[in-house]
Amino acid sequence: MLNKESPLPMYYQIEEDLKRKIESGIYNYGEAIPSERELSETYEVSRMTVRQAISNMVRNRILYREKGRGTFVAEEKFEQPLQGVTSFSEDMKRRGLTPHNELLIFEKQEPDETTKDILQLKDEEVYYLKRIRYADEEPMAIEETFIPVHLFPELDADRLEGVSFYEYIETKTELSIERARQTIEAGTAVFEEAEPLSIEEGDAILRIERLGYLSAGVPFERNTSIYRSDRYKFISDMQREK
Amino acid sequence: MLNKESPLPMYYQIEEDLKRKIESGIYNYGEAIPSERELSETYEVSRMTVRQAISNMVRNRILYREKGRGTFVAEEKFEQPLQGVTSFSEDMKRRGLTPHNELLIFEKQEPDETTKDILQLKDEEVYYLKRIRYADEEPMAIEETFIPVHLFPELDADRLEGVSFYEYIETKTELSIERARQTIEAGTAVFEEAEPLSIEEGDAILRIERLGYLSAGVPFERNTSIYRSDRYKFISDMQREK
DNA sequence: CGTATATAGTTGTCTATACCAATTTATCGG
DNA sequence: CCGATAAATTGGTATAGACAACTATATACG
């Protein structure tokens, strides 16, 4: 069942096995999984190792423990609060839509003062992207993105073709995205905005300004989007924190 | 230093002591704390116990570990990510504005089908509140709230006078707010909305629909708000989660 | 001088065991 | 049959030790 020779730690293999058994319905939502002592026998590891696996899954809200009672599979709906930072592509896929881009502009330029300030730049150049974002072949948003060149020196239009920018960062570079701040406001479309979105002047739109941060708080992206309000709602899941 | 007789677990006492030493500058941001073996000697506990304390602090982003190098104090947490669920009052105070209400309607009623469905009700009644929300004496939003009566049987208009509803729940009851889901969309004001907000028909507005949950996933509030877009931006801080 | 190599120190993983605290289940007495 | 009590079961805390994987530093070698 488990591979003791594998470079993967035992507790990780146990996690994967438990997740698989939850997925496949062997352990059901709300019901108890076998006790730690029991699992340590079936997996032939010490109870502490089982506990490490379970602790990780508790932290990820897949399981929860009750002293004296057992360990239970968390309810399905809380498993994945979709509150994470996502790119447009990821957002659309999560909504069951197929994303697609039309790249209008891709160039290096001297950033304007606002961008410079927001991205904490001195003399560095930025990539400037202007794109129309489609979902299921219908225009959804106009998006402008500013990215410091020095963070991704080898970036070009081709590299942004198939994959999303966020995916690119996390798979092709050593950097990792940490957090983002977004401000969302309502507005009405002017002609230049209405035309590419196939809506009328004066129609309601959502303006979303996003500032993305890498680890250590380094800003890596300024993103200004205009969404059609008839097709798009912004969804936000939040925890209460005292 | 540590109290072995205390009902508080040793790892917890160690956490508190380490936090204190970070606060007081004995361990500085970005610098390493003593090694796990060293700490286990000074605290006179096993290394695994020290590890449990440190693991908790790593999870809370107070410390971070680097294999082969040591354990370090995380950078001062960048500006309290204001991503928590907040009531209107809390939101305005956070923005440096003074909130104020005009209560138009407060009554018990049979919920309509949508509300019933969203709040997962059977035959229970709900409180219905309609309020105009002011910030610095200027109208900011129109808000309608539906709250199941059986969750807060002793609620009345007086109790909502001084404090915010969220504050009331957390101080006067045993219940605790857990999370909320909000959908945000843009729209244009019709006359009935424009008039109380002192804006013009056709002006842009933000429609925010919030569903609040107590612990255990019990929905406790359906809140529908219409914000003036010229005065209000929705701010969202998010973490990236793989 | 520069480059391998050993070495010591660090966190990461894992074992086997022990006792505690909370809960459930079985047992006994009326 | 009911209720109190005891026993069994569960997760929570803690120990002492071992080896692996990784990093930085000191050392020896060419």
Side-chain angles (χ1 to χ4, degrees):
Chain A
M1 180 160 290
L2 299 193
N3 179 1
K4 297 227 176 198
E5 308 310 318
S6 165
L8 296 172
M10 301 293 292
Y11 69 84
Y12 181 79
Q13 295 184 48
I14 293 172
E15 279 181 62
E16 291 305 309
D17 191 59
L18 290 177
K19 282 181 198 165
R20 193 180 55 73
K21 284 179 172 153
I22 292 170
E23 293 268 329
S24 65
I26 297 176
Y27 303 144
N28 285 305
Y29 297 110
E31 291 179 6
I33 66 171
S35 73
E36 295 176 352
R37 287 172 180 81
E38 206 170 327
L39 288 173
S40 86
E41 279 186 24
T42 62
Y43 289 125
E44 292 180 322
V45 297
S46 79
R47 189 182 149 214
M48 290 304 290
T49 302
V50 170
R51 271 188 73 76
Q52 183 165 7
I54 292 179
S55 294
N56 288 340
M57 296 175 74
V58 168
R59 199 173 60 230
N60 294 327
R61 297 178 193 231
I62 299 168
L63 303 173
Y64 62 93
R65 292 197 258 230
E66 289 188 20
K67 193 194 292 188
R69 301 227 312 131
T71 304
F72 304 84
V73 181
E75 294 300 328
E76 194 165 4
K77 49 186 166 184
F78 295 121
E79 197 181 332
Q80 201 52 279
L82 31 128
Q83 62 176 1
V85 178
T86 55
S87 65
F88 177 85
S89 309
E90 291 167 334
D91 192 15
M92 289 306 118
K93 284 178 191 164
R94 218 166 50 177
R95 293 163 191 252
L97 303 174
T98 306
H100 162 241
N101 297 325
E102 181 182 347
L103 182 58
L104 303 180
I105 305 175
F106 181 97
E107 61 183 28
K108 290 187 195 179
Q109 62 174 221
E110 291 291 327
D112 61 279
E113 279 306 315
T114 309
T115 304
K116 208 161 150 181
D117 190 41
I118 289 179
L119 290 176
Q120 299 171 23
L121 299 175
K122 294 195 180 67
D123 303 321
E124 296 93 341
E125 278 190 318
V126 295
Y127 299 106
Y128 171 67
L129 284 80
K130 182 163 184 175
R131 289 181 285 188
I132 300 181
R133 298 289 214 164
Y134 292 84
D136 285 354
E137 306 301 327
E138 273 247 40
M140 179 69 101
I142 305 171
E143 187 184 278
E144 293 179 292
T145 311
F146 304 87
I147 301 160
V149 171
H150 70 279
L151 290 178
F152 310 97
E154 77 293 356
L155 200 65
D156 56 48
D158 287 342
R159 289 180 211 269
L160 289 173
E161 199 54 42
V163 298
S164 83
F165 179 44
Y166 280 31
E167 217 173 290
Y168 167 78
I169 292 174
E170 290 181 332
T171 59
K172 306 293 189 201
T173 78
E174 298 302 311
L175 305 172
S176 79
I177 299 165
E178 192 79 3
R179 48 183 285 270
R181 158 170 294 207
Q182 304 187 85
T183 62
I184 298 142
E185 57 188 315
T188 47
V190 297
F191 176 76
E192 297 78 43
E193 298 163 340
E195 203 276 330
L197 289 177
S198 307
I199 57 176
E200 302 293 323
E201 253 184 287
D203 281 0
I205 52 168
L206 270 186
R207 295 180 201 276
I208 301 183
E209 170 114 0
R210 177 172 66 220
L211 182 57
Y213 296 90
L214 301 174
S215 53
V218 178
F220 76 96
E221 174 202 42
R222 178 189 176 206
N223 186 306
T224 309
S225 301
I226 295 167
Y227 282 79
R228 280 173 59 167
S229 182
D230 59 336
R231 293 194 73 199
Y232 186 79
K233 289 184 189 183
F234 184 85
I235 298 175
S236 161
D237 267 288
M238 295 184 162
Q239 307 290 317
R240 176 75 167 175
E241 44 191 40
K242 203 48 258 166
Chain B
M1 179 159 289
L2 299 192
N3 179 3
K4 296 226 176 196
E5 308 309 319
S6 165
L8 295 172
M10 303 291 294
Y11 70 83
Y12 182 78
Q13 296 183 49
I14 294 172
E15 279 181 59
E16 291 305 310
D17 190 60
L18 290 177
K19 283 181 198 165
R20 195 181 53 73
K21 285 181 170 150
I22 292 170
E23 292 271 327
S24 64
I26 297 175
Y27 303 144
N28 285 304
Y29 296 109
E31 292 179 5
I33 65 172
S35 74
E36 295 176 353
R37 284 177 180 81
E38 207 170 326
L39 288 174
S40 85
E41 279 185 24
T42 62
Y43 289 124
E44 292 180 323
V45 296
S46 77
R47 188 182 150 218
M48 289 304 288
T49 302
V50 170
R51 271 187 74 77
Q52 183 164 6
I54 291 179
S55 294
N56 287 339
M57 296 175 75
V58 167
R59 199 173 59 229
N60 294 326
R61 300 178 192 234
I62 299 167
L63 303 174
Y64 61 93
R65 292 197 258 232
E66 289 188 20
K67 192 193 294 190
R69 301 227 311 133
T71 304
F72 305 83
V73 181
E75 294 303 324
E76 208 150 357
K77 48 186 169 187
F78 27 167
E79 47 170 324
Q80 184 66 357
L82 28 129
Q83 61 176 1
V85 179
T86 56
S87 67
F88 177 85
S89 310
E90 292 168 334
D91 192 16
M92 289 307 119
K93 284 178 193 164
R94 217 166 49 175
R95 293 163 191 253
L97 304 173
T98 306
H100 162 241
N101 297 327
E102 181 181 347
L103 183 59
L104 303 179
I105 306 177
F106 181 97
E107 62 182 28
K108 290 187 194 178
Q109 63 174 219
E110 292 292 326
D112 62 278
E113 279 305 314
T114 309
T115 305
K116 208 160 149 181
D117 190 43
I118 289 178
L119 291 177
Q120 299 172 22
L121 300 175
K122 294 195 180 66
D123 304 321
E124 297 93 339
E125 280 191 318
V126 295
Y127 298 108
Y128 171 66
L129 284 80
K130 182 163 184 175
R131 291 181 283 190
I132 300 181
R133 299 291 214 162
Y134 292 84
D136 286 353
E137 306 302 325
E138 273 247 40
M140 179 69 102
I142 305 172
E143 185 184 280
E144 292 179 293
T145 312
F146 304 87
I147 303 161
V149 171
H150 71 278
L151 289 178
F152 310 97
E154 77 295 354
L155 200 64
D156 57 46
D158 287 343
R159 289 181 211 269
L160 289 174
E161 200 53 44
V163 298
S164 84
F165 178 45
Y166 280 31
E167 218 172 289
Y168 167 79
I169 293 174
E170 290 181 332
T171 59
K172 306 293 188 200
T173 78
E174 298 302 310
L175 304 172
S176 79
I177 300 167
E178 192 79 2
R179 47 183 286 271
R181 159 170 294 208
Q182 303 186 87
T183 61
I184 298 144
E185 56 188 316
T188 48
V190 298
F191 177 77
E192 297 77 44
E193 298 164 339
E195 202 276 330
L197 288 177
S198 309
I199 57 177
E200 302 294 322
E201 253 185 283
D203 279 1
I205 54 169
L206 269 186
R207 295 181 201 277
I208 302 184
E209 169 113 0
R210 177 171 66 218
L211 181 58
Y213 295 89
L214 302 174
S215 52
V218 178
F220 77 97
E221 174 202 42
R222 178 190 176 203
N223 186 306
T224 310
S225 302
I226 296 168
Y227 282 79
R228 279 174 59 168
S229 182
D230 59 336
R231 294 196 70 200
Y232 185 81
K233 289 183 188 182
F234 183 85
I235 299 176
S236 161
D237 267 287
M238 295 183 162
Q239 307 290 319
R240 175 76 168 175
E241 44 191 41
K242 201 53 256 164

